[in-house]
Amino acid sequence: MEALCGTLTHLPQLKELNLCFNNLGKCGNAETVMKALCGSMAHLPQLEKLNLIDNHLGDSVANILPAAAHLKKLDLSGNDISPGVKQRLQLAAKVNPGLYLNI
């Protein structure tokens, strides 16, 4: 994942990133995955859609919203997110009315 995120920094025109059904959070590395992804978001100013469906990322997905304020669509469904973090994500998404958040 870190290698992929390093490559993403060289793709500033990227508009959509689909990382679905990859089990990125398996083996306890969800925090590492999200840290790497959040770090690369500043280099993706044109990114509009980020799909992280069914990756077992759990509550680590809470870190994505501050880094992804420019997104129009963020799909985090199927990541076993706790009710408290879901509520925090929904409240944070309200700050950006142009964002469609699916959890």
Coordinates of all heavy atoms in Angstrom, one line a residue:
M1 N 0.8 -1.2 0.0 CA 0.0 0.0 0.0 C 0.9 1.3 0.0 O 0.5 2.2 -0.7 CB -0.9 0.0 1.2 CG -1.9 1.1 1.2 SD -3.0 1.1 -0.2 CE -4.0 2.5 0.1
E2 N 2.0 1.2 0.7 CA 2.8 2.4 0.7 C 3.4 2.7 -0.6 O 3.6 3.8 -1.0 CB 3.9 2.2 1.8 CG 3.4 2.3 3.2 CD 4.4 2.1 4.3 OE1 5.6 2.3 4.0 OE2 4.0 1.8 5.4
A3 N 3.7 1.6 -1.4 CA 4.3 1.8 -2.7 C 3.2 2.4 -3.6 O 3.5 3.3 -4.4 CB 4.7 0.5 -3.3
L4 N 2.0 1.9 -3.5 CA 0.9 2.5 -4.3 C 0.7 4.0 -3.9 O 0.5 4.8 -4.8 CB -0.4 1.7 -4.0 CG -1.7 2.4 -4.6 CD1 -1.6 2.4 -6.1 CD2 -2.9 1.6 -4.1
C5 N 0.7 4.3 -2.7 CA 0.5 5.7 -2.3 C 1.6 6.6 -2.8 O 1.4 7.7 -3.1 CB 0.3 5.8 -0.8 SG -1.3 5.2 -0.2
G6 N 2.8 6.0 -2.8 CA 4.0 6.8 -3.4 C 3.8 7.1 -4.8 O 4.1 8.1 -5.3
T7 N 3.2 6.1 -5.6 CA 2.9 6.3 -7.0 C 1.7 7.3 -7.1 O 1.8 8.1 -8.1 CB 2.4 5.0 -7.6 OG1 3.5 4.0 -7.4 CG2 2.1 5.1 -9.1
L8 N 0.8 7.3 -6.3 CA -0.4 8.2 -6.4 C 0.1 9.7 -6.3 O -0.5 10.5 -7.0 CB -1.4 8.0 -5.2 CG -2.2 6.7 -5.3 CD1 -3.0 6.5 -4.0 CD2 -3.0 6.6 -6.5
T9 N 1.2 10.0 -5.6 CA 1.6 11.3 -5.6 C 2.1 11.9 -6.9 O 2.2 13.1 -7.1 CB 2.8 11.5 -4.6 OG1 3.9 10.7 -5.0 CG2 2.4 11.1 -3.2
H10 N 2.3 11.0 -7.9 CA 2.7 11.4 -9.2 C 1.5 11.4 -10.2 O 1.7 11.5 -11.4 CB 3.8 10.4 -9.8 CG 5.0 10.4 -8.9 ND1 5.9 11.4 -8.9 CD2 5.5 9.5 -8.1 CE1 6.9 11.1 -8.0 NE2 6.6 9.9 -7.5
L11 N 0.3 11.3 -9.7 CA -0.9 11.3 -10.5 C -1.9 12.4 -10.1 O -3.0 12.1 -9.7 CB -1.6 9.9 -10.4 CG -0.8 8.7 -10.8 CD1 -1.5 7.4 -10.4 CD2 -0.5 8.8 -12.3
P12 N -1.4 13.7 -10.1 CA -2.3 14.7 -9.6 C -3.6 14.9 -10.4 O -4.5 15.6 -9.9 CB -1.4 16.0 -9.8 CG -0.4 15.7 -10.8 CD -0.2 14.2 -10.7
Q13 N -3.7 14.4 -11.6 CA -4.9 14.5 -12.4 C -5.9 13.4 -12.2 O -7.0 13.4 -12.7 CB -4.6 14.5 -13.9 CG -3.6 15.7 -14.3 CD -4.2 17.1 -14.0 OE1 -5.4 17.3 -14.2 NE2 -3.4 17.9 -13.4
L14 N -5.6 12.5 -11.3 CA -6.5 11.3 -11.0 C -7.8 11.8 -10.5 O -7.8 12.6 -9.5 CB -5.8 10.4 -10.0 CG -6.5 9.1 -9.7 CD1 -6.4 8.2 -11.0 CD2 -5.8 8.4 -8.5
K15 N -8.9 11.3 -11.0 CA -10.2 11.8 -10.6 C -11.0 10.7 -9.8 O -11.8 11.1 -9.0 CB -11.1 12.2 -11.8 CG -10.5 13.4 -12.5 CD -11.6 14.0 -13.4 CE -11.1 15.2 -14.1 NZ -11.1 16.4 -13.2
E16 N -10.7 9.5 -10.0 CA -11.4 8.4 -9.3 C -10.4 7.3 -8.9 O -9.6 6.9 -9.7 CB -12.5 7.8 -10.1 CG -13.3 6.8 -9.4 CD -14.6 6.4 -10.2 OE1 -14.9 7.1 -11.2 OE2 -15.2 5.4 -9.9
L17 N -10.5 6.8 -7.6 CA -9.7 5.8 -7.1 C -10.5 4.7 -6.5 O -11.3 5.0 -5.6 CB -8.7 6.3 -6.1 CG -7.7 5.3 -5.5 CD1 -6.8 4.7 -6.6 CD2 -6.8 6.0 -4.5
N18 N -10.5 3.5 -7.1 CA -11.3 2.4 -6.6 C -10.4 1.3 -6.0 O -9.6 0.7 -6.7 CB -12.1 1.7 -7.7 CG -13.1 2.7 -8.3 OD1 -14.0 3.1 -7.6 ND2 -13.0 2.9 -9.6
L19 N -10.4 1.2 -4.7 CA -9.7 0.2 -3.9 C -10.7 -0.7 -3.2 O -10.6 -0.8 -1.9 CB -8.7 0.9 -2.9 CG -7.6 1.8 -3.6 CD1 -6.9 2.5 -2.5 CD2 -6.7 0.9 -4.4
C20 N -11.5 -1.3 -3.9 CA -12.6 -2.1 -3.3 C -12.3 -3.6 -3.3 O -11.6 -4.1 -4.1 CB -13.9 -1.9 -4.2 SG -14.4 -0.2 -4.4
F21 N -12.8 -4.2 -2.2 CA -12.6 -5.7 -2.0 C -11.2 -6.2 -2.1 O -10.9 -7.2 -2.6 CB -13.5 -6.4 -3.1 CG -14.9 -5.9 -3.2 CD1 -15.3 -5.1 -4.3 CD2 -15.8 -6.2 -2.2 CE1 -16.6 -4.6 -4.4 CE2 -17.1 -5.7 -2.3 CZ -17.5 -5.0 -3.4
N22 N -10.3 -5.4 -1.5 CA -8.9 -5.8 -1.5 C -8.4 -6.2 -0.1 O -7.2 -6.6 0.0 CB -8.0 -4.6 -1.9 CG -8.2 -4.3 -3.4 OD1 -8.1 -5.1 -4.2 ND2 -8.5 -3.0 -3.7
N23 N -9.3 -6.3 0.9 CA -8.9 -6.7 2.2 C -7.7 -5.9 2.7 O -6.8 -6.5 3.4 CB -8.6 -8.2 2.2 CG -9.8 -9.0 2.0 OD1 -10.9 -8.7 2.5 ND2 -9.7 -10.1 1.2
L24 N -7.6 -4.6 2.5 CA -6.5 -3.8 2.9 C -6.2 -3.8 4.4 O -5.1 -3.6 4.8 CB -6.7 -2.4 2.3 CG -6.7 -2.2 0.8 CD1 -7.1 -0.8 0.5 CD2 -5.4 -2.6 0.2
G25 N -7.3 -3.9 5.1 CA -7.2 -3.8 6.6 C -6.9 -5.2 7.3 O -6.8 -5.2 8.5
K26 N -6.8 -6.2 6.5 CA -6.6 -7.6 7.1 C -5.2 -7.6 7.8 O -4.3 -6.8 7.5 CB -6.7 -8.7 6.1 CG -8.1 -9.0 5.6 CD -8.7 -10.0 6.5 CE -10.1 -10.4 6.0 NZ -10.6 -11.6 6.5
C27 N -5.0 -8.5 8.7 CA -3.7 -8.7 9.4 C -3.3 -7.5 10.2 O -2.2 -7.2 10.5 CB -2.6 -9.0 8.4 SG -3.0 -10.4 7.3
G28 N -4.3 -6.7 10.6 CA -4.0 -5.6 11.6 C -3.3 -4.4 11.0 O -2.7 -3.6 11.8
N29 N -3.3 -4.2 9.7 CA -2.6 -3.1 9.1 C -3.5 -2.0 8.7 O -3.1 -1.1 7.9 CB -1.7 -3.5 8.0 CG -2.5 -4.1 6.8 OD1 -3.7 -4.4 6.9 ND2 -1.8 -4.4 5.8
A30 N -4.7 -1.9 9.2 CA -5.7 -0.8 8.8 C -5.1 0.6 9.0 O -5.3 1.5 8.2 CB -7.0 -1.1 9.4
E31 N -4.6 0.8 10.2 CA -4.0 2.1 10.5 C -2.9 2.5 9.6 O -2.8 3.6 9.2 CB -3.5 2.1 12.0 CG -4.6 2.0 13.0 CD -5.5 3.2 13.1 OE1 -5.1 4.3 12.8 OE2 -6.7 3.0 13.5
T32 N -2.0 1.5 9.2 CA -0.9 1.8 8.3 C -1.5 2.2 6.9 O -1.0 3.1 6.3 CB 0.0 0.6 8.2 OG1 0.5 0.3 9.5 CG2 1.2 0.9 7.3
V33 N -2.5 1.5 6.5 CA -3.1 1.7 5.2 C -3.7 3.1 5.2 O -3.5 3.9 4.2 CB -4.2 0.7 4.9 CG1 -5.0 1.1 3.7 CG2 -3.5 -0.7 4.6
M34 N -4.5 3.5 6.2 CA -5.1 4.8 6.2 C -4.1 5.9 6.3 O -4.3 7.0 5.7 CB -6.2 4.8 7.3 CG -7.4 3.9 7.0 SD -8.1 4.0 5.4 CE -8.7 5.7 5.4
K35 N -3.1 5.7 7.1 CA -2.0 6.7 7.2 C -1.4 7.0 5.9 O -1.2 8.1 5.5 CB -1.0 6.3 8.3 CG 0.1 7.3 8.5 CD 1.0 6.9 9.6 CE 2.1 7.9 9.8 NZ 3.1 7.5 10.8
A36 N -1.0 5.9 5.2 CA -0.4 6.1 3.9 C -1.4 6.8 2.9 O -1.0 7.7 2.1 CB 0.0 4.7 3.3
L37 N -2.6 6.4 2.9 CA -3.6 6.9 2.0 C -3.8 8.4 2.3 O -3.9 9.2 1.4 CB -4.9 6.2 2.0 CG -6.0 6.5 1.0 CD1 -5.5 6.4 -0.4 CD2 -7.2 5.7 1.2
C38 N -4.0 8.7 3.5 CA -4.2 10.1 4.0 C -3.0 11.0 3.6 O -3.2 12.1 3.1 CB -4.5 10.2 5.4 SG -6.1 9.6 5.9
G39 N -1.8 10.4 3.7 CA -0.6 11.2 3.3 C -0.6 11.5 1.8 O 0.0 12.5 1.4
S40 N -1.1 10.7 1.0 CA -1.1 10.9 -0.4 C -2.2 11.8 -0.9 O -2.2 12.3 -2.0 CB -1.1 9.6 -1.2 OG -2.3 8.9 -1.0
M41 N -3.2 12.0 -0.1 CA -4.4 12.8 -0.6 C -4.1 14.2 -0.9 O -4.7 14.8 -1.8 CB -5.5 12.8 0.5 CG -6.1 11.4 0.8 SD -7.0 10.7 -0.7 CE -8.4 11.8 -0.7
A42 N -3.1 14.8 -0.3 CA -2.7 16.2 -0.6 C -2.2 16.3 -2.0 O -2.2 17.4 -2.6 CB -1.7 16.7 0.4
H43 N -1.7 15.3 -2.6 CA -1.1 15.2 -3.9 C -2.1 14.9 -5.0 O -1.8 14.7 -6.1 CB 0.1 14.3 -4.0 CG 1.1 14.6 -3.0 ND1 2.0 15.6 -3.2 CD2 1.4 14.0 -1.8 CE1 2.9 15.6 -2.1 NE2 2.5 14.7 -1.3
L44 N -3.4 14.7 -4.6 CA -4.5 14.4 -5.5 C -5.6 15.4 -5.5 O -6.7 15.1 -5.2 CB -5.0 13.0 -5.1 CG -4.0 11.8 -5.1 CD1 -4.7 10.6 -4.5 CD2 -3.5 11.6 -6.5
P45 N -5.3 16.6 -5.9 CA -6.3 17.7 -5.8 C -7.5 17.5 -6.8 O -8.5 18.1 -6.5 CB -5.4 19.0 -6.2 CG -4.4 18.4 -7.1 CD -4.0 17.1 -6.5
Q46 N -7.3 16.7 -7.8 CA -8.4 16.5 -8.7 C -9.3 15.3 -8.4 O -10.3 15.1 -9.0 CB -7.9 16.3 -10.2 CG -7.0 17.4 -10.7 CD -7.9 18.7 -10.9 OE1 -9.0 18.6 -11.3 NE2 -7.3 19.8 -10.5
L47 N -8.9 14.6 -7.3 CA -9.6 13.4 -7.0 C -11.0 13.7 -6.5 O -11.2 14.6 -5.6 CB -8.9 12.6 -5.8 CG -9.4 11.2 -5.5 CD1 -9.3 10.3 -6.7 CD2 -8.8 10.7 -4.3
E48 N -12.0 13.1 -7.1 CA -13.4 13.4 -6.8 C -14.1 12.2 -6.1 O -15.0 12.4 -5.3 CB -14.2 13.8 -8.1 CG -13.8 15.0 -8.7 CD -14.5 15.3 -10.0 OE1 -15.3 14.5 -10.5 OE2 -14.3 16.4 -10.5
K49 N -13.7 11.0 -6.5 CA -14.3 9.8 -6.0 C -13.3 8.8 -5.4 O -12.3 8.5 -6.1 CB -15.1 9.1 -7.1 CG -16.2 9.9 -7.7 CD -16.9 9.1 -8.8 CE -18.0 9.9 -9.5 NZ -18.6 9.2 -10.6
L50 N -13.5 8.4 -4.2 CA -12.7 7.4 -3.5 C -13.6 6.3 -3.0 O -14.5 6.6 -2.2 CB -11.9 8.1 -2.3 CG -11.0 7.2 -1.5 CD1 -10.0 6.5 -2.4 CD2 -10.3 7.9 -0.4
N51 N -13.3 5.1 -3.5 CA -14.1 4.0 -3.1 C -13.2 3.0 -2.3 O -12.3 2.5 -2.9 CB -14.7 3.3 -4.3 CG -15.7 4.2 -5.0 OD1 -16.6 4.7 -4.4 ND2 -15.5 4.4 -6.3
L52 N -13.5 2.8 -1.1 CA -12.8 1.9 -0.2 C -13.7 0.8 0.3 O -13.6 0.4 1.5 CB -12.2 2.6 1.0 CG -11.1 3.6 0.6 CD1 -10.7 4.5 1.8 CD2 -9.9 2.9 0.1
I53 N -14.6 0.3 -0.5 CA -15.6 -0.7 -0.1 C -15.0 -2.0 0.3 O -14.2 -2.6 -0.4 CB -16.6 -0.9 -1.3 CG1 -17.2 0.4 -1.7 CG2 -17.7 -1.9 -1.0 CD1 -17.9 0.4 -3.1
D54 N -15.5 -2.5 1.4 CA -15.2 -3.9 1.9 C -13.7 -4.2 2.0 O -13.2 -5.1 1.4 CB -15.9 -4.9 1.0 CG -16.0 -6.3 1.7 OD1 -15.9 -6.3 3.0 OD2 -16.2 -7.3 1.0
N55 N -13.0 -3.4 2.8 CA -11.6 -3.6 3.0 C -11.2 -3.9 4.4 O -10.0 -3.9 4.7 CB -10.8 -2.4 2.5 CG -10.7 -2.4 1.0 OD1 -10.1 -3.3 0.4 ND2 -11.2 -1.4 0.3
H56 N -12.1 -4.1 5.3 CA -11.9 -4.4 6.7 C -11.0 -3.3 7.4 O -10.1 -3.6 8.1 CB -11.2 -5.8 6.8 CG -11.9 -6.9 6.1 ND1 -13.0 -7.5 6.7 CD2 -11.8 -7.5 4.9 CE1 -13.5 -8.4 5.9 NE2 -12.8 -8.4 4.8
L57 N -11.3 -2.1 7.1 CA -10.6 -1.0 7.6 C -11.1 -0.5 9.0 O -10.4 0.2 9.7 CB -10.6 0.2 6.6 CG -9.9 -0.1 5.3 CD1 -10.1 1.0 4.3 CD2 -8.4 -0.3 5.5
G58 N -12.3 -0.9 9.4 CA -12.8 -0.6 10.7 C -12.8 0.9 11.0 O -13.0 1.7 10.1
D59 N -12.6 1.2 12.2 CA -12.7 2.6 12.7 C -11.5 3.5 12.2 O -11.5 4.7 12.3 CB -12.7 2.6 14.2 CG -14.1 2.2 14.7 OD1 -15.0 2.0 13.9 OD2 -14.2 1.9 15.9
S60 N -10.5 2.9 11.6 CA -9.4 3.7 11.0 C -9.8 4.6 9.9 O -9.1 5.6 9.6 CB -8.2 2.7 10.5 OG -8.6 2.0 9.4
V61 N -11.0 4.3 9.3 CA -11.5 5.2 8.2 C -11.8 6.6 8.7 O -11.9 7.5 7.9 CB -12.7 4.6 7.5 CG1 -12.3 3.3 6.9 CG2 -13.9 4.4 8.4
A62 N -11.9 6.8 10.0 CA -12.3 8.1 10.6 C -11.2 9.1 10.2 O -11.5 10.3 10.2 CB -12.4 8.0 12.1
N63 N -10.0 8.7 9.9 CA -8.9 9.6 9.6 C -9.0 10.2 8.2 O -8.2 11.1 7.9 CB -7.6 8.9 9.8 CG -7.4 8.4 11.2 OD1 -7.8 9.0 12.2 ND2 -6.9 7.2 11.4
I64 N -9.8 9.7 7.4 CA -9.8 10.1 6.0 C -10.5 11.4 5.7 O -10.0 12.2 4.8 CB -10.4 9.0 5.1 CG1 -10.1 9.2 3.6 CG2 -11.9 8.9 5.2 CD1 -8.7 9.0 3.2
L65 N -11.5 11.8 6.4 CA -12.3 13.0 6.1 C -11.4 14.3 6.1 O -11.6 15.1 5.2 CB -13.5 13.1 6.9 CG -14.7 12.3 6.4 CD1 -15.9 12.6 7.3 CD2 -15.0 12.6 5.0
P66 N -10.6 14.5 7.1 CA -9.9 15.8 7.0 C -8.9 15.8 5.8 O -8.8 16.9 5.2 CB -9.0 15.8 8.3 CG -9.8 14.9 9.3 CD -10.4 13.8 8.4
A67 N -8.4 14.7 5.4 CA -7.5 14.7 4.2 C -8.3 14.7 2.9 O -7.7 15.0 1.9 CB -6.6 13.4 4.3
A68 N -9.6 14.4 3.0 CA -10.3 14.2 1.7 C -11.4 15.3 1.6 O -12.5 15.0 1.1 CB -10.9 12.8 1.7
A69 N -11.2 16.4 2.1 CA -12.2 17.5 2.1 C -12.7 17.9 0.7 O -13.8 18.4 0.5 CB -11.7 18.7 2.8
H70 N -11.9 17.6 -0.3 CA -12.2 18.0 -1.7 C -13.0 17.0 -2.5 O -13.4 17.2 -3.6 CB -10.9 18.3 -2.5 CG -10.0 17.2 -2.6 ND1 -9.2 16.8 -1.5 CD2 -9.7 16.4 -3.6 CE1 -8.5 15.8 -1.8 NE2 -8.7 15.5 -3.1
L71 N -13.3 15.8 -1.9 CA -14.0 14.7 -2.6 C -15.5 15.1 -2.8 O -16.1 15.8 -2.0 CB -13.9 13.4 -1.8 CG -12.6 12.8 -1.7 CD1 -12.6 11.5 -0.8 CD2 -12.0 12.4 -3.0
K72 N -16.0 14.5 -3.8 CA -17.5 14.6 -4.1 C -18.2 13.3 -3.6 O -19.3 13.3 -3.3 CB -17.8 14.8 -5.5 CG -17.3 16.2 -6.0 CD -17.6 16.5 -7.4 CE -17.2 17.9 -7.8 NZ -17.4 18.1 -9.2
K73 N -17.4 12.2 -3.6 CA -18.0 10.9 -3.2 C -16.9 10.1 -2.5 O -15.8 9.9 -2.9 CB -18.5 10.1 -4.4 CG -19.0 8.7 -4.1 CD -19.4 7.9 -5.3 CE -19.9 6.5 -4.8 NZ -20.0 5.6 -5.9
L74 N -17.4 9.6 -1.3 CA -16.5 8.7 -0.5 C -17.3 7.5 -0.1 O -18.3 7.7 0.6 CB -16.0 9.5 0.7 CG -15.2 8.7 1.7 CD1 -13.9 8.2 1.1 CD2 -14.8 9.7 2.9
D75 N -16.9 6.3 -0.5 CA -17.7 5.1 -0.2 C -16.8 4.3 0.8 O -15.8 3.8 0.4 CB -18.1 4.4 -1.4 CG -19.1 3.3 -1.2 OD1 -19.2 2.8 0.0 OD2 -19.9 3.0 -2.1
L76 N -17.3 4.2 2.0 CA -16.6 3.4 3.0 C -17.4 2.2 3.4 O -17.2 1.6 4.5 CB -16.3 4.3 4.2 CG -15.5 5.5 4.0 CD1 -15.5 6.4 5.2 CD2 -14.1 5.1 3.6
S77 N -18.4 1.8 2.7 CA -19.3 0.7 3.1 C -18.6 -0.6 3.2 O -17.6 -0.9 2.5 CB -20.5 0.6 2.1 OG -20.0 0.4 0.8
G78 N -19.1 -1.5 4.1 CA -18.5 -2.8 4.3 C -17.2 -2.8 5.0 O -16.5 -3.8 4.8
N79 N -17.0 -1.8 5.8 CA -15.7 -1.8 6.5 C -15.8 -2.0 8.0 O -14.9 -1.7 8.8 CB -15.0 -0.5 6.3 CG -14.2 -0.5 4.9 OD1 -13.3 -1.3 4.8 ND2 -14.7 0.3 4.0
D80 N -16.9 -2.5 8.5 CA -17.2 -2.8 9.9 C -16.8 -1.6 10.8 O -16.1 -1.7 11.8 CB -16.3 -4.0 10.4 CG -16.6 -5.2 9.5 OD1 -17.8 -5.5 9.2 OD2 -15.7 -6.0 9.1
I81 N -17.4 -0.5 10.5 CA -17.2 0.8 11.2 C -18.2 0.8 12.4 O -19.4 0.5 12.3 CB -17.4 2.0 10.3 CG1 -16.5 1.9 9.1 CG2 -17.2 3.3 11.1 CD1 -16.9 2.9 8.0
S82 N -17.7 1.1 13.6 CA -18.5 1.2 14.8 C -19.5 2.3 14.7 O -19.3 3.3 14.0 CB -17.6 1.4 16.0 OG -17.1 2.7 16.1
P83 N -20.7 2.2 15.4 CA -21.7 3.2 15.4 C -21.2 4.6 15.7 O -21.6 5.6 15.1 CB -22.8 2.7 16.3 CG -22.6 1.2 16.4 CD -21.1 1.0 16.2
G84 N -20.3 4.7 16.7 CA -19.8 6.0 17.2 C -19.0 6.6 16.1 O -19.1 7.8 15.9
V85 N -18.2 5.9 15.4 CA -17.3 6.4 14.3 C -18.2 6.8 13.1 O -18.0 7.8 12.5 CB -16.2 5.5 13.9 CG1 -15.5 6.0 12.7 CG2 -15.2 5.4 15.1
K86 N -19.2 6.0 12.9 CA -20.2 6.3 11.8 C -20.8 7.7 12.0 O -20.9 8.5 11.1 CB -21.2 5.2 11.6 CG -20.8 4.0 10.9 CD -21.9 3.0 10.7 CE -21.5 1.8 10.0 NZ -22.6 0.8 9.8
Q87 N -21.2 7.9 13.3 CA -21.9 9.1 13.6 C -20.9 10.3 13.5 O -21.3 11.4 12.9 CB -22.4 9.1 15.1 CG -23.1 10.3 15.5 CD -23.7 10.2 16.9 OE1 -23.2 9.5 17.7 NE2 -24.7 11.0 17.1
R88 N -19.6 10.1 13.9 CA -18.6 11.2 13.7 C -18.4 11.5 12.2 O -18.3 12.6 11.8 CB -17.3 10.8 14.4 CG -17.3 10.9 15.8 CD -16.0 10.7 16.5 NE -14.8 10.7 15.7 CZ -13.8 9.8 15.8 NH1 -13.9 8.8 16.7 NH2 -12.8 9.9 15.0
L89 N -18.4 10.4 11.4 CA -18.2 10.6 10.0 C -19.3 11.4 9.4 O -19.1 12.3 8.5 CB -18.0 9.3 9.3 CG -16.7 8.5 9.5 CD1 -16.8 7.1 9.0 CD2 -15.6 9.2 8.8
Q90 N -20.5 11.0 9.8 CA -21.7 11.7 9.2 C -21.7 13.2 9.6 O -22.1 14.0 8.8 CB -23.0 11.0 9.7 CG -23.2 9.7 9.0 CD -24.3 8.8 9.7 OE1 -24.6 9.0 10.9 NE2 -24.8 7.9 8.9
L91 N -21.4 13.5 10.9 CA -21.3 14.9 11.3 C -20.2 15.6 10.6 O -20.5 16.8 10.2 CB -21.1 14.9 12.8 CG -22.2 14.5 13.7 CD1 -21.8 14.4 15.2 CD2 -23.4 15.4 13.6
A92 N -19.1 15.0 10.4 CA -18.0 15.7 9.7 C -18.4 15.9 8.2 O -18.0 16.9 7.6 CB -16.7 14.8 9.8
A93 N -19.1 15.0 7.6 CA -19.5 15.1 6.2 C -20.5 16.3 6.0 O -20.5 16.9 4.9 CB -20.1 13.8 5.7
K94 N -21.2 16.6 7.0 CA -22.2 17.7 6.9 C -21.5 19.1 6.7 O -22.1 20.0 6.2 CB -23.1 17.8 8.2 CG -24.1 16.7 8.2 CD -25.0 16.8 9.4 CE -26.0 15.7 9.4 NZ -26.9 15.8 10.6
V95 N -20.2 19.1 7.1 CA -19.5 20.4 6.9 C -19.2 20.6 5.4 O -19.1 21.7 5.0 CB -18.1 20.3 7.7 CG1 -17.2 21.4 7.4 CG2 -18.4 20.2 9.2
N96 N -19.2 19.5 4.7 CA -19.0 19.5 3.2 C -20.2 19.1 2.5 O -20.4 17.9 2.2 CB -17.8 18.6 2.8 CG -17.5 18.7 1.4 OD1 -18.1 19.4 0.6 ND2 -16.5 17.9 1.0
P97 N -21.2 20.0 2.2 CA -22.5 19.6 1.7 C -22.3 19.0 0.3 O -23.2 18.3 -0.2 CB -23.3 20.9 1.6 CG -22.3 22.0 1.8 CD -21.1 21.4 2.5
G98 N -21.2 19.2 -0.4 CA -21.0 18.6 -1.7 C -20.5 17.2 -1.7 O -20.4 16.5 -2.8
L99 N -20.3 16.6 -0.5 CA -19.8 15.3 -0.4 C -20.9 14.2 -0.2 O -21.8 14.4 0.7 CB -18.8 15.2 0.8 CG -18.3 13.8 1.2 CD1 -17.5 13.2 0.1 CD2 -17.6 13.8 2.5
Y100 N -20.9 13.2 -1.1 CA -21.8 12.1 -0.9 C -21.0 11.0 -0.1 O -20.0 10.5 -0.6 CB -22.3 11.5 -2.2 CG -23.0 10.2 -2.0 CD1 -24.3 10.1 -1.5 CD2 -22.4 9.0 -2.4 CE1 -24.9 8.9 -1.3 CE2 -23.0 7.8 -2.2 CZ -24.3 7.7 -1.7 OH -24.9 6.6 -1.5
L101 N -21.4 10.7 1.1 CA -20.7 9.7 2.0 C -21.6 8.5 2.1 O -22.7 8.6 2.5 CB -20.4 10.4 3.3 CG -19.8 9.5 4.4 CD1 -18.4 9.0 4.0 CD2 -19.8 10.2 5.7
N102 N -21.0 7.4 1.8 CA -21.7 6.1 1.9 C -21.0 5.3 3.0 O -19.8 4.9 2.7 CB -21.9 5.4 0.6 CG -22.7 4.1 0.7 OD1 -23.5 4.0 1.6 ND2 -22.5 3.2 -0.2
I103 N -21.6 5.0 4.1 CA -21.0 4.2 5.1 C -21.9 3.1 5.5 O -21.8 2.3 6.3 CB -20.5 5.0 6.4 CG1 -21.6 5.9 6.9 CG2 -19.3 5.8 6.1 CD1 -21.3 6.6 8.2

